[in-house]
Amino acid sequence: MSKGDHIKPIIQVALDLLETDRAIQIAKESLEGGADWIEVGTPLIKSEGMDAIRELRKNFPDRIIIADMKIADTGSMEVEMGAKAGADIVVVLASADNSTILEAIRAGKKYGVKIMADLISCNDPVARSIELEKLGVDYINVHAGIDQQMEGHDSLAIMKKVVEQVSIPVAVAGGLDASSCSEAVASGAKIVIVGGSIVRSSNVTASAKAIRKSVDSPSSAPVLKSSPADEIRKILEDVSTSNISDAMHRKGAMQDIFSMMPGKKMIGTAVTVQTFKGDWAKAVEAIDEAKEGDVIVIYNGSRHVAPWGGLATLSCLNKGIAGVVVDGAVRDIDEIRKIGLPVFATCNVPNAGEPKGFGEINSEIVCGNQSVSPGDYIIGDDNGVVVIPKERAYEIARRAKEVEKTEQRLFEEIRRGSTLSEVMKLKKWEKH
Ligand SMILES: O=C([C@H](O)CO)[C@H](O)[C@H](O)COP(=O)(O)O
């Protein structure tokens, strides 16, 4: 039997990293957990070039190595590069022109490597799979890319159609975890390609083991999906406002708004209130308009007169409101702390304002220098408060989760005795 012939389903670990040394260590831990094939991920190839493939080949002489080059042109030249660096399988984009695919296949035959076609972003993946098989590719990868996953795409439904139409082995990729891998194998996938769920885990070996176990006793029971709102909420419970800020490229964080209830996290959807210096009527009326799980977000603009205090906070608790944010001052901090509701504000003062009744409830406002519309997601913790526009809530929650996973892995590597700059090769990545 050659090193490519597997009877069991194949787990291909996708090393989507930027540094070869980390990739080698993570590959080692993945293989200990039961992964089979090693993919030199596209980001790694772009970061370190063909040398990443050479190094992985040197370290893992007996393993199948896939060069995820996502070839779009010059099929022959790039397959030759991958082959000469030590790859067994080279990846070409399924959306590349047939001339590129054919040249890749010809070069593959010449240099003894197989060709995998990646269906990422293909308009008609099933029809293209049939064409690719006729053209002569060796494997097809049904793939929802990382950015597509963040918007809720997944690859399993298309993969199930593709396996019915082609007889070459079908791989599947796109945010797979143990349960989706199991479903994929039960539905006909021969290769499961797993990146984030293994390589960004703080315990790579345990995560690979869990996937090994799931693909070796696959279940066709579809993974039960929760509603987008439930999924968003569940993810937001796991991540910090720092993770969310990173996911939003530093957009979304309110300025000069601080927690009055250290240690309390707040997640909810905005009911907005525009008021004017110390006028507390609209702020308090908003409590009756808000529903369970909402966050009342108030622009007031005074550091010296408070539109919010203990009585309003207790009223919120009675209605199941998730918390309050005030661009301005609050008072009765001792009472607020006893009540225990998360309250965020610019500062605290003893002075109350007046219920004059100017302003509006549920118009677009600016709070902490951020635009907030009714229904936007508001998350607060000890780092501060961030706003996620409702239209991007699912995507940003998913991206924040990826940030959190990446950090968990970095924590693990630092715990092993390294430093942040060593792990991240900071000097190499300084801007030139
Ligand atoms: O190919 C991939 C992606 O385009 C980045 O290069 C990933 O390796 C593939 O999607 C698997 O990774 P996960 O989706 O994180 O499991």
Side-chain angles (χ1 to χ4, degrees), residues 129-257:
S129 301
I130 298 167
E131 285 168 8
L132 289 163
E133 179 169 36
K134 283 193 192 131
L135 289 172
V137 304
D138 301 285
Y139 305 96
I140 284 180
N141 173 16
V142 187
H143 183 192
I146 292 174
D147 288 327
Q148 294 174 311
Q149 294 163 35
M150 302 302 128
E151 295 186 354
H153 297 256
D154 85 66
S155 40
L156 285 190
I158 298 170
M159 186 277 293
K160 288 175 190 173
K161 291 186 189 151
V162 170
V163 290
E164 283 169 10
Q165 300 298 327
V166 298
S167 25
I168 52 175
V170 172
V172 61
L176 300 181
D177 58 14
S179 44
S180 47
C181 280
S182 165
E183 187 187 341
V185 169
S187 313
K190 298 286 182 239
I191 304 156
V192 289
I193 303 177
V194 187
S197 295
I198 294 179
V199 304
R200 282 202 288 284
S201 162
S202 54
N203 191 337
V204 164
T205 305
S207 300
K209 262 189 195 151
I211 288 172
R212 180 81 267 160
K213 194 165 163 226
S214 77
V215 300
D216 288 346
S217 41
S219 150
S220 55
V223 181
L224 285 179
K225 279 214 140 208
S226 33
S227 71
D230 287 350
E231 206 181 333
I232 292 169
R233 194 175 174 90
K234 192 171 169 304
I235 298 174
L236 293 178
E237 275 163 10
D238 284 353
V239 300
S240 67
T241 54
S242 311
N243 300 147
I244 297 168
S245 163
D246 287 0
M248 294 178 76
H249 303 286
R250 276 200 297 267
K251 302 278 187 311
M254 289 187 181
Q255 290 168 1
D256 301 320
I257 307 272

Side-chain angles (χ1 to χ4, degrees), residues 75-139:
S76 162
M77 195 196 296
E78 294 198 16
V79 167
E80 180 181 348
M81 283 161 60
K84 288 187 172 170
D88 300 289
I89 300 173
V90 177
V91 179
V92 60
L93 283 176
S95 57
D97 193 74
N98 282 357
S99 57
T100 301
I101 307 267
L102 285 168
E103 275 296 274
I105 293 168
R106 288 176 197 128
K109 292 210 164 84
K110 182 164 159 196
Y111 295 105
V113 298
K114 306 257 191 230
I115 302 299
M116 181 183 278
D118 182 335
L119 286 168
I120 190 169
S121 303
C122 250
N123 285 338
D124 187 347
V126 179
R128 187 61 177 151
S129 301
I130 298 167
E131 285 168 8
L132 289 163
E133 179 169 36
K134 283 193 192 131
L135 289 172
V137 304
D138 301 285
Y139 305 96

